[in-house]
Amino acid sequence: SQTIHQWPATLVQPVGSPLSLECTVEGTSNPNLYWYRQAAGRGLQLLFYSVGIGQISSEVPQNLSASRPQDRQFILSSKKLLLSDSGFYLCAWSVQNNQPQHFGDGTRLSIL
Amino acid sequence: GDSVTQMEGPVTLSEEAFLTINCTYTATGYPSLFWYVQYPGEGLQLLLKATKADDKGSNKGFEATYRKETTSFHLEKGSVQVSDSAVYFCALSEVGGNEKLTFGTGTRLTIIP
């Protein structure tokens, strides 16, 4: 069966520090991969999605970036975090043909 | 562009009460519709889905019917339990849109014994 792993579960970082969140999927090949952010008291905002290795689409301009170095690995990064980057970050995957997305357990990021 | 409008929360109900969470959507094509649930401190889980008009998705006693004429996908449950307390998200996905999900803002549901 397919599984998705996100880490770390929680992270506290100072303003201006770098960020790297990792997401991996097991049990499937060539999935679509997604990064979402859920700010406190708000809905989910799609940040990036990828349909293949090295293919990244950005939905919202920001100081975050994403990379997909391997088929089932999706990384969210920042060179310098802002206070507004605080939130709950969720990775998700889906197969092709209009199938549901499956989410990881999320990373709660607090910026001090 | 696509959008999803969800009933504002929070919603507080007594155990065994009837639940309705309203959801309406705007889309250019023929989207698939989903309800996701987020329990405290966890990621999102797919609750149910419907892929075409008049389809009814159901799971764990929850139901939602895809109504094209009213562009709605309201979530219902006949008798809620304390364990149903969570945040519920309505979402749509356009066919051929790289499966991107557009979410509503979520509705926090609290069930009191």
Side-chain angles (χ1 to χ4, degrees):
Chain A
S1 63
Q2 301 90 352
T3 56
I4 179 168
H5 303 281
Q6 260 188 267
W7 66 93
T10 59
L11 189 60
V12 180
Q13 292 282 98
V15 170
S17 63
L19 173 74
S20 180
L21 302 181
E22 191 160 343
C23 171
T24 59
V25 179
E26 297 176 359
T28 188
S29 296
N30 195 32
N32 290 341
L33 296 172
Y34 310 84
W35 277 111
Y36 291 87
R37 176 170 59 203
Q38 184 180 27
R42 301 181 65 181
L44 281 84
Q45 179 183 42
L46 178 64
L47 301 176
F48 300 95
Y49 70 93
S50 171
V51 299
I53 294 175
Q55 300 178 61
I56 309 294
S57 296
S58 174
E59 290 294 299
V60 182
Q62 59 220 326
N63 69 318
L64 298 171
S65 62
S67 61
R68 185 170 177 173
Q70 300 179 43
D71 181 45
R72 290 168 289 177
Q73 184 184 29
F74 205 25
I75 297 172
L76 183 69
S77 304
S78 174
K79 292 182 180 178
K80 280 188 175 183
L81 286 167
L82 306 173
L83 280 174
S84 58
D85 291 324
S86 292
F88 192 47
Y89 288 81
L90 289 159
C91 181
W93 70 272
S94 72
V95 296
Q96 311 297 326
N97 301 323
N98 210 30
Q99 293 301 305
Q101 292 181 18
H102 305 277
F103 287 79
D105 289 334
T107 295
R108 188 162 301 284
L109 175 64
S110 300
I111 309 301
L112 304 179
Chain B
D2 297 343
S3 67
V4 176
T5 301
Q6 237 182 284
M7 176 176 169
E8 292 285 334
V11 174
T12 302
L13 294 173
S14 298
E15 205 166 20
E16 300 182 3
F18 183 86
L19 168 71
T20 299
I21 300 178
N22 289 339
C23 172
T24 57
Y25 67 90
T26 302
T28 53
Y30 300 94
S32 291
L33 302 173
F34 307 88
W35 277 100
Y36 282 83
V37 58
Q38 185 179 31
Y39 298 103
E42 299 183 10
L44 273 71
Q45 302 174 26
L46 177 67
L47 181 59
L48 53 85
K49 68 171 184 175
T51 57
K52 61 183 187 297
D54 300 325
D55 267 3
K56 178 185 283 188
S58 61
N59 185 26
K60 299 182 180 179
F62 290 90
E63 292 183 341
T65 301
Y66 190 144
R67 302 286 188 199
K68 188 169 181 291
E69 63 276 13
T70 54
T71 61
S72 65
F73 193 54
H74 305 321
L75 182 68
E76 296 181 336
K77 186 172 185 181
S79 177
V80 292
Q81 306 300 313
V82 172
S83 57
D84 294 326
S85 298
V87 181
Y88 292 81
F89 292 92
C90 186
L92 71 81
S93 172
E94 285 274 24
V95 175
N98 289 316
E99 322 307 329
K100 290 185 292 180
L101 284 171
T102 300
F103 283 90
T105 53
T107 302
R108 182 175 298 279
L109 174 66
T110 302
I111 308 300
I112 52 178

